[in-house]
């Protein structure tokens, strides 16, 4: 029997069908083991020795593989054709070797598509495991571990609120934060455009003023309304003649087929998919045999695939759409063994596959791959120059005509930003000759303002990371997801916004670890890892060079006092936190007491700005709220004003669970928490919050009231014991009856569709408990994270970061909780008392009847 190992059960079932009898195909379900999440898993002092731990949920899977391997004559490792796939095969081989279950014959097979022809062909050409790729995996895994496990403890101790840092994720976060800084420092500039509406031969067109009073105009030349109006008047009062008509042919060549990163970019632009969703859908298509492997840096296609594509083109279009020779694209990847074929359909005759998101993504892949082998598009660009008699004023009209669409008939690449209307040259121009005088239908002067650089979308961020050579396209989806999960960034309308914690972390890293978040350093590390996978560098030497500088730097920062770190960040962020004021006054002067100086402080829940005269002056300001508006004192405790209805004072206070507002004193006082999304707390907002819940009206069907309020989990609607979430605090006061009824109905339908919820997924698994044998898991609970072995639950101490929890600490917490006995309220005494009573018949036969009745009564209660 020949044993074949692949990653997914879907692949296993399909491939076993292709190979037929004599083969047994099992799935590893991805990686089977990893570095334990604790200190010492990588030991630089022991020549970078590494410990590996079996995933807790892979015990039964590995046992099945081991049992099958003991009966197999040959082991065929057929995991994915990339660095990760090579690593999974290596792990499986190492595990079987340790368990003395490794067959004598072990071979590696790769294929980039799951079709019968591809799989059976690959089986005829096995090879040995690629040690260079394995070394590259080991280097990358050890590097990421050392970076994260060395830096994260520094963050926990020196930067309140920080959760973790990663080699690639920190650089991606820096890109987002730097863009945020650019937007904040941007100052819009006013400019005007003057456009004449002209007509020639019954066709209207537009011409832009490009020269005024003999001066060539650039984008910002007409800087105010006065100049713009003079220019407009000059155009209105002059007669313009055609001086030049320039027509140039142009060609546009098709784009190469998709790589991993270009697929993520286009799916984000055209389909609105996140990078992680794109990869999940692509994985499904790959495992179904519809497309080739979706993790690739290559743009080339197999010759047989090119032939299929050309046949599909000739079947669908006339001969002009098929170029005489096939198109060949070259891959920029350094390592030939990693430059796999581009992402393409396995069968070009199928222009549709699947349904829903699968169908949409397949359509995108099919069109891009087909277009890559089609003829170029032929265009004609026309530029017409018009001047008035003196030659001091000049208009220009541009147009573009598609003479032959070629590949554009199938596919055109999306854009990250819409092109400005003023740069649009896609319109048609009428036939004009030198000396013509088009009729003037009007002149428009339009005001514009320069725009700040746009925030990154997933598509543009992935593109930028790839341009900088940072990370690998196959890991971008996971990297961006970590930034969201850590709450370092948020997304709104598919754009990344840096959160307060993300900005603070980036500032910390730039100040103390600037080299390690530098773009060129991170890109250089990628080059070194590529050298390892290409056999041009030794992986342990690469790690040693990194560790030699990184470890002393982290030790140096760890020795600093928190106050020293805060002071250094206060100075580093001065331009952002305390920008110069328009009136020239000191931006650090406290707006409340007028004497103290403002500076950055570190607190349990993160950084904030405070007055040096504390506790006499309690002025505070959020870290993420730069200077300027702090004179309002929006975050300080104190009186907001008096309630006109009761005459009682409304005050803002800080409590154990955050800031809140209070009306009155003592037991009769009304209180309300202050939501984070209130732009600026004033008396009006405070009275609104204190008035909740707000009654919207009676439900048109039940007649029962619908109310809006803010609860523990945010703003919501309530009606007859049913609830619906609202997106913001503002909606609590703005939602009307119609919208409320719709939201409640949608929430009810969603709850019905979900039915019984699936069990919560663990945040982390540690392995079996040495005493109970139950799997130890870290879970997110209603009252905070906790660990459990399936029998005993133990809450994590408040000062313990979940990411830093080790197996030993988890066991100690569970054992300590178990020693205290069952939690209050769980009364099990009657069950425990039953055992002694069963032993009573040995002493007194007369008690047998009583003992016999107990189980009967217990059974009746159960029924």
């Amino acid at each position: 029997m020949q044993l074949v190992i692949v990653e997914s059960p879907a692949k296993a079932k399909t491939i076993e069908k292709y190979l037929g009898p004599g083969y047994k195909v099992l799935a590893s379900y991805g990686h089977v083991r990893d570095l334990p999440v604790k200190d010492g898993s990588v030991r630089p002092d022991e020549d970078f020795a590494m410990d590996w731990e079996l995933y807790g949920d892979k015990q039964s899977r590995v046992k099945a593989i081991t049992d099958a391997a003991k009966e197999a004559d040959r082991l065929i490792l057929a995991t994915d054709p990339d660095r990760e796939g090579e690593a999974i095969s290596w792990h499986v081989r190492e595990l079987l070797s340790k368990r003395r279950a490794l067959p004598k014959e072990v071979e590696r097979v790769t294929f980039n598509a799951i079709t019968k022809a591809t799989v059976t062909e690959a089986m005829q050409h096995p090879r040995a495991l690629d040690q260079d790729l394995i070394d590259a995996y080991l280097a990358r895994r050890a590097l990421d571990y050392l970076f994260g496990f060395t830096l994260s403890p520094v963050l926990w101790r020196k930067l309140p609120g920080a959760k973790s840092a990663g080699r690639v994720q920190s650089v991606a976060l820096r890109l987002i934060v730097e863009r945020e800084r650019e937007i904040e420092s941007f100052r819009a500039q006013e400019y005007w455009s003057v456009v004449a509406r002209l007509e020639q031969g019954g066709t209207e067109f537009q011409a832009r003023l490009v020269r005024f009073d003999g001066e060539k105009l650039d984008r910002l030349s007409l800087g105010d309304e006065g100049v713009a109006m003079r220019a407009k008047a000059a155009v209105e009062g002059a007669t313009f003649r055609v001086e030049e008509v320039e027509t140039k042919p142009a060609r546009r060549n098709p784009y190469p087929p998709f790589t991993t990163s270009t697929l993520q970019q286009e799916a984000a632009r055209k389909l609105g998919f996140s990078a992680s969703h794109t990869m999940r859908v692509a994985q499904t298509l790959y495992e179904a045999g519809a497309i080739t492997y979706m993790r690739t840096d290559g743009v080339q296609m197999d010759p047989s695939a090119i032939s299929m594509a050309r046949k599909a083109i000739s079947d669908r279009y006339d001969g002009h759409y098929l170029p005489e020779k096939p198109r060949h694209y070259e891959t920029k990847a350094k390592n030939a063994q990693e430059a796999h074929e581009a992402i393409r359909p396995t069968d070009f005759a199928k222009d549709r596959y699947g349904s829903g998101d699968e169908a949409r993504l397949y359509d995108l892949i099919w069109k891009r791959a087909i277009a890559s082998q089609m003829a170029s598009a032929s265009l004609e660009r026309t530029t017409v120059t018009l001047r008035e008699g003196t030659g001091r004023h000049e208009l220009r009209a541009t147009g573009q005509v598609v003479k032959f669409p070629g590949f554009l008939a199938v596919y055109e690449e999306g854009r990250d930003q819409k092109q400005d209307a003023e740069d649009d040259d896609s319109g048609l121009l009428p036939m004009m000759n030198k000396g013509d005088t088009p009729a003037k239908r009007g002149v428009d002067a339009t005001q514009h303002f320069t725009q700040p650089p746009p925030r990154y979308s997933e598509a543009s961020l992935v593109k930028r990371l790839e341009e900088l050579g940072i990370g690998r396209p196959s890991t971008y989806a996971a990297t961006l997801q970590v930034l969201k999960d850590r709450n370092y960034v948020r997304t709104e309308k598919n754009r990344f916004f840096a959160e307060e914690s993300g900005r603070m972390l980036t500032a910390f890293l730039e100040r103390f670890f600037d080299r390690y978040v530098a773009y060129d350093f991170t890109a250089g590390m990628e080059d070194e890892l590529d050298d390892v996978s290409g056999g041009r560098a030794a992986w342990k030497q690469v790690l040693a060079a990194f560790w030699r500088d990184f470890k002393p730097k982290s030790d140096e920062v760890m020795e600093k006092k928190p106050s020293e770190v805060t002071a250094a960040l206060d100075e580093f962020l001065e331009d952002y936190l305390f920008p110069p004021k328009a009136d020239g006054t000191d931006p650090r002067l406290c707006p409340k007491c007028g004497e103290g100086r403002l500076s950055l402080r570190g607190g349990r829940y993160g950084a904030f700005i405070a007055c040096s005269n504390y506790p006499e002056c309690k002025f505070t300001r959020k870290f993420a709220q730069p200077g300027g508006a702090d004179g309002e004192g929006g975050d300080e405790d104190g009186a907001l004003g008096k309630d006109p209805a009761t005459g009682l004072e409304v005050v803002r206070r800080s409590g154990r669970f955050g800031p809140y507002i209070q009306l009155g004193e003592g037991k009769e006082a009304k209180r309300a928490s202050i939501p984070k999304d209130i732009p600026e707390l004033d008396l009006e907002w405070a009275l609104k919050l204190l008035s909740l819940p707000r009654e919207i009206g009676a439900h048109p069907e039940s007649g029962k009231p619908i109310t809006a309020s803010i609860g523990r989990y945010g703003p919501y609607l309530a009606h007859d014991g049913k609830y619906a979430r609202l997106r913001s605090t503002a909606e609590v006061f703005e939602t009307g009856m119609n919208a409320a009824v719709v939201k409640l109905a949608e929430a009810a339908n969603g709850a019905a569709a979900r039915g019984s919820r699936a069990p919560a997924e663990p945040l982390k698994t540690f392995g079996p408990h040495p005493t109970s044998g139950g799997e130890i898991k870290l879970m997110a609970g209603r009252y905070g994270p906790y660990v459990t072995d399936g029998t005993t639950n133990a809450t994590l101490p408040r000062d313990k970061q979940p990411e830093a929890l080790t197996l030993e600490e988890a066991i100690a917490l569970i054992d300590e909780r178990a020693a205290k006995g069952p939690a209050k309220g769980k009364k099990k005494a009657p069950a425990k008392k039953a055992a002694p009573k069963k032993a009573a018949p040995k002493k007194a036969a007369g008690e047998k009847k009583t003992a016999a009745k107990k189980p009967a009564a217990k059974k009746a209660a159960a029924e």
Side-chain angles (χ1 to χ4, degrees):
M1 186 263 289
Q2 300 184 63
L3 177 63
V4 181
I5 303 299
V6 296
E7 280 108 327
S8 79
K11 285 170 63 177
K13 186 180 295 185
T14 304
I15 291 171
E16 189 167 79
K17 181 178 66 177
Y18 290 157
L19 296 178
Y23 288 89
K24 185 178 182 65
V25 185
L26 294 178
S28 69
Y29 288 79
H31 274 282
V32 292
R33 62 179 188 173
D34 196 7
L35 296 171
V37 187
K38 62 180 182 180
D39 290 334
S41 295
V42 178
R43 298 183 294 283
D45 296 338
E46 298 177 26
D47 198 26
F48 296 98
M50 302 168 74
D51 292 334
W52 300 99
E53 180 180 78
L54 199 65
Y55 283 117
D57 59 349
K58 296 294 175 71
Q59 299 281 356
S60 60
R61 180 55 39 194
V62 172
K63 184 180 184 305
I65 292 174
T66 303
D67 292 343
K70 289 178 180 178
E71 300 176 4
D73 304 315
R74 179 188 180 206
L75 174 65
I76 303 171
L77 300 165
T79 49
D80 289 342
D82 58 7
R83 192 181 295 178
E84 289 300 307
E86 207 75 17
I88 293 171
S89 288
W90 175 78
H91 278 300
V92 170
R93 186 190 69 178
E94 292 298 295
L95 274 173
L96 293 178
S97 178
K98 285 186 177 182
R99 298 185 178 201
R100 298 182 180 180
L102 194 66
K104 292 182 179 179
E105 194 175 349
V106 180
E107 292 177 322
R108 174 83 165 106
V109 163
T110 59
F111 37 81
N112 75 323
I114 305 175
T115 63
K116 186 171 184 178
T118 306
V119 171
T120 52
E121 173 69 17
M123 289 294 173
Q124 305 304 315
H125 300 89
R127 61 169 173 82
L129 282 171
D130 190 321
Q131 191 60 47
D132 290 334
L133 285 182
I134 295 167
D135 288 348
Y137 159 78
L138 294 173
R140 181 180 294 276
R141 191 67 194 88
L143 186 65
D144 290 341
Y145 173 91
L146 291 173
F147 189 98
F149 266 79
T150 305
L151 191 52
S152 292
V154 178
L155 296 176
W156 300 333
R157 289 169 175 78
K158 310 300 178 184
L159 194 67
K163 297 176 181 177
S164 70
R167 186 176 59 88
V168 176
Q169 93 185 38
S170 297
V171 180
L173 177 60
R174 182 184 177 184
L175 281 171
I176 296 170
V177 170
E178 285 190 342
R179 179 56 54 87
E180 201 76 32
R181 292 171 184 162
E182 290 176 39
I183 293 170
E184 288 170 350
S185 62
F186 178 82
R187 296 294 177 266
Q189 286 185 265
E190 179 186 10
Y191 70 98
W192 291 70
S193 60
V194 175
V195 176
R197 289 178 277 112
L198 307 175
E199 183 181 324
Q200 175 76 11
T203 302
E204 288 194 6
F205 65 99
Q206 293 184 344
R208 179 179 300 275
L209 181 66
V210 295
R211 186 180 293 274
F212 174 58
D213 275 345
E215 296 291 331
K216 184 178 179 181
L217 301 181
D218 60 28
R219 190 184 187 193
L220 302 177
S221 294
L222 303 179
D224 58 61
E225 186 175 8
V227 177
M229 289 307 151
R230 290 205 312 272
K232 177 184 177 183
V235 175
E236 287 174 333
T239 300
F240 287 85
R241 299 182 190 282
V242 175
E243 293 292 334
E244 297 174 17
V245 179
E246 184 180 26
T247 301
K248 288 184 178 180
R251 290 169 63 85
R252 282 181 63 185
N253 295 321
Y255 313 95
F258 282 130
T259 62
T260 300
S261 65
T262 54
L263 176 63
Q264 290 174 1
Q265 293 169 43
E266 276 293 84
R269 295 185 192 110
K270 292 189 171 181
L271 306 179
F273 289 0
S274 66
S276 56
H277 184 63
T278 297
M279 296 311 291
R280 281 195 297 271
V281 177
Q283 177 85 33
T284 304
L285 291 172
Y286 166 66
E287 291 180 356
I291 63 170
T292 54
Y293 191 54
M294 67 287 165
R295 291 186 177 90
T296 174
D297 297 330
V299 293
Q300 68 274 13
M301 286 203 300
D302 185 81
S304 62
I306 293 176
S307 298
M308 281 195 294
R310 287 174 63 84
K311 183 178 185 307
I313 294 166
S314 63
D315 289 345
R316 286 172 170 78
Y317 304 95
D318 65 42
H320 297 292
Y321 286 85
L322 186 67
E324 291 184 8
K325 296 180 180 179
R327 294 186 182 274
H328 296 281
Y329 300 90
E330 293 185 2
T331 298
K332 296 178 182 179
K334 290 185 177 182
N335 302 312
Q337 69 266 40
E338 292 190 81
H340 305 299
E341 194 178 355
I343 304 170
R344 62 167 178 84
T346 55
D347 184 357
F348 281 93
K350 295 180 179 178
D351 59 356
R352 290 182 178 84
Y353 182 88
S355 60
D357 287 351
E358 289 177 24
R360 297 170 69 198
L361 190 64
Y362 180 84
D363 179 69
L364 197 65
I365 294 169
W366 184 89
K367 286 179 176 177
R368 175 86 168 217
I370 278 284
S372 72
Q373 289 300 318
M374 293 180 72
S376 301
S378 296
L379 313 172
E380 185 177 83
R381 293 195 176 104
T382 302
T383 303
V384 178
T385 303
L386 304 96
R387 297 192 187 97
E388 47 82 56
T390 66
R392 295 181 61 77
H393 310 313
E394 184 177 302
L395 300 175
R396 181 173 298 155
T398 58
Q400 178 175 283
V401 177
V402 177
K403 293 291 187 180
F404 172 67
F407 76 95
L408 292 176
V410 175
Y411 182 85
E412 183 167 11
E413 189 172 61
R415 297 172 179 172
D416 290 320
Q417 287 292 104
K418 290 184 179 179
Q419 201 172 35
D420 290 339
E422 63 194 69
D423 299 325
D424 190 7
D425 63 353
S426 60
L428 292 173
L429 292 178
M431 181 66 69
M432 285 181 279
N433 298 304
K434 185 175 181 179
D436 287 347
T437 308
K440 197 183 302 173
R441 298 302 179 204
V443 181
D444 301 315
T446 307
Q447 184 185 38
H448 307 275
F449 290 93
T450 54
Q451 297 297 312
R455 288 182 172 85
Y456 284 110
S457 63
E458 285 214 0
S460 58
L461 184 57
V462 165
K463 183 178 181 180
R464 185 60 180 147
L465 287 169
E466 190 176 33
E467 289 172 351
L468 293 170
I470 293 168
R472 295 180 62 81
S474 59
T475 65
Y476 290 155
T479 298
L480 301 187
Q481 191 60 46
V482 168
L483 294 180
K484 297 176 189 176
D485 293 343
R486 296 280 187 266
N487 293 321
Y488 292 149
V489 301
R490 71 180 190 278
T491 53
E492 292 180 11
K493 297 180 180 178
N494 295 322
R495 296 282 167 178
F496 284 107
F497 288 73
E499 293 283 27
E500 175 183 333
S501 57
R503 297 191 70 139
M504 194 65 179
L505 173 59
T506 298
F508 177 85
L509 295 175
E510 287 178 321
R511 173 60 180 81
F512 295 104
F513 294 91
D514 57 323
R515 180 187 179 195
Y516 302 100
V517 290
Y519 303 134
D520 55 353
F521 173 81
T522 310
M525 288 302 304
E526 292 299 331
D527 290 340
E528 291 186 52
L529 292 171
D530 284 340
D531 287 340
V532 172
S533 64
R536 299 181 292 274
W539 70 280
K540 291 184 179 180
Q541 291 179 6
V542 170
L543 288 176
F546 166 79
W547 189 247
R548 190 164 47 246
D549 296 326
F550 183 69
K551 184 62 167 66
K553 182 64 177 176
S554 62
D555 290 343
E556 175 192 332
V557 178
M558 183 65 93
E559 290 173 3
K560 292 183 180 294
K561 296 178 181 178
S563 58
E564 293 177 326
V565 172
T566 304
L569 290 176
D570 178 84
E571 180 182 355
F572 183 78
L573 292 166
E574 183 171 27
D575 291 342
Y576 165 65
L577 296 176
F578 310 105
K581 291 191 173 183
D583 59 5
T585 58
D586 184 0
R588 283 184 179 265
L589 187 66
C590 178
K592 184 176 183 181
C593 69
E595 296 177 359
R597 288 180 58 76
L598 303 180
S599 60
L600 185 68
R601 301 285 179 86
R604 181 177 180 182
Y605 301 106
F608 62 97
I609 309 300
C611 177
S612 60
N613 281 344
Y614 180 86
E616 288 77 15
C617 177
K618 296 182 179 180
F619 176 85
T620 60
R621 188 181 77 206
K622 291 181 181 178
F623 163 77
Q625 177 188 329
D630 53 17
E632 308 297 330
D635 279 9
E636 60 183 304
D637 291 355
L640 296 171
K642 289 187 177 181
D643 177 15
T646 64
L648 296 174
E649 197 166 47
V650 180
V651 295
R652 181 193 188 280
R653 292 181 176 174
S654 297
R656 180 182 177 187
F657 301 105
Y660 65 94
I661 46 178
Q662 179 174 309
L663 174 65
E665 295 292 340
K667 294 181 179 180
E668 303 301 321
K670 289 190 67 176
R671 298 177 180 86
S673 295
I674 303 174
K676 292 182 178 180
D677 61 346
I678 290 181
E680 181 182 321
L681 182 69
D682 54 18
L683 180 61
E684 182 183 356
W685 262 112
L687 293 173
K688 280 185 176 182
L689 295 171
L690 289 166
S691 69
L692 294 177
R694 165 183 169 246
E695 185 168 327
I696 297 173
H699 195 287
E701 295 179 4
S702 68
K704 295 182 179 179
I706 300 176
T707 58
S709 192
I710 301 172
R712 179 174 183 176
Y713 302 106
Y716 68 94
L717 294 171
H719 165 253
D720 194 21
K722 303 292 191 300
Y723 301 90
R725 286 188 178 183
L726 295 174
R727 289 175 296 181
S728 67
T729 301
E731 285 194 357
V732 173
F733 303 99
E734 295 170 359
T735 301
M737 178 59 71
N738 291 339
V741 170
V742 171
K743 288 179 182 291
L744 287 163
E746 289 176 347
N749 291 337
R754 286 192 298 272
S756 57
R757 293 188 177 183
E761 290 293 323
L763 301 176
K764 189 189 299 182
T765 55
F766 294 95
H769 190 284
T771 305
S772 70
E775 183 73 23
I776 299 178
K777 299 176 183 178
L778 174 64
M779 307 294 290
R782 182 177 181 182
Y783 302 106
Y786 67 95
V787 287
T788 179
D789 64 349
T791 303
T792 303
N793 298 345
T795 304
L796 265 63
R798 287 186 178 181
D799 60 348
K800 185 64 185 176
Q801 292 286 344
E803 295 86 354
L805 189 70
T806 65
L807 174 62
E808 291 75 14
E809 291 171 330
I811 293 171
L813 287 170
I814 291 171
D815 289 348
E816 182 182 350
R817 183 68 193 84
K820 293 179 180 179
K824 292 180 180 179
K826 295 183 179 179
K827 297 181 180 180
K828 301 275 185 178
K832 289 183 179 178
K833 288 178 182 177
K837 289 186 178 182
K838 288 180 181 178
K842 294 182 180 180
K843 295 181 180 181
E847 294 182 7
K848 284 185 179 180
K849 291 183 179 180
T850 306
K853 288 180 182 177
K854 291 280 185 182
K858 192 174 183 181
K859 185 176 181 181
E863 292 174 351

